[in-house]
Amino acid sequence: MRYNEKELQALSRQPAEMAAELGMRGPKKGSVVKRRLVKLVVNFLFYFRTDEAEPVGALLLEHCRVAQEEPSGFSIITSSCGGASSSTGMRSRR
């Protein structure tokens, strides 16, 4: 599947099925936590700097499921062929 930058930017402007804010830490030990806004549109998870309208990046979600967690959050559950699974939880910004 191929997408160009303009297509992804247009898709990122669509209404979100779910959105949340999360803290991301860099790969270096002791790095600062950065706040990012994430937005689920169709099967793309876009992530934004909290003060910018254009996405910093996008992840194509395949073979996973999104579950509503509490009224203000959601989880992305991925599973591998061996039956193991992992989960990432996010809470909505309100």
Side-chain angles (χ1 to χ4, degrees):
M1 207 182 297
R2 291 184 181 214
Y3 293 93
N4 66 38
E5 190 173 337
K6 286 184 181 183
E7 289 175 321
L8 287 174
Q9 286 179 351
L11 186 60
S12 75
R13 293 185 193 105
Q14 299 297 316
E17 296 171 32
M18 296 185 186
E21 188 176 276
L22 61 99
M24 293 175 33
R25 190 175 301 276
K28 295 181 181 177
K29 186 176 181 178
S31 60
V32 176
V33 175
K34 298 176 183 177
R35 306 304 297 168
R36 294 288 184 256
L37 176 65
V38 293
K39 180 177 170 181
L40 180 67
V41 180
V42 189
N43 62 334
F44 281 94
L45 186 70
F46 293 96
Y47 55 100
F48 303 80
R49 289 186 178 94
T50 55
D51 59 345
E52 294 182 7
E54 296 298 320
V56 176
L59 301 171
L60 176 61
L61 302 178
E62 293 183 313
H63 309 291
C64 63
R65 117 185 116 80
V66 178
Q68 186 75 38
E69 300 284 336
E70 304 170 5
S72 62
F74 63 96
S75 294
I76 299 171
I77 298 105
T78 59
S79 61
S80 63
C81 296
S85 66
S86 64
S87 173
T88 302
M90 299 172 203
R91 291 206 173 148
S92 296
R93 180 175 71 162
R94 292 187 185 197

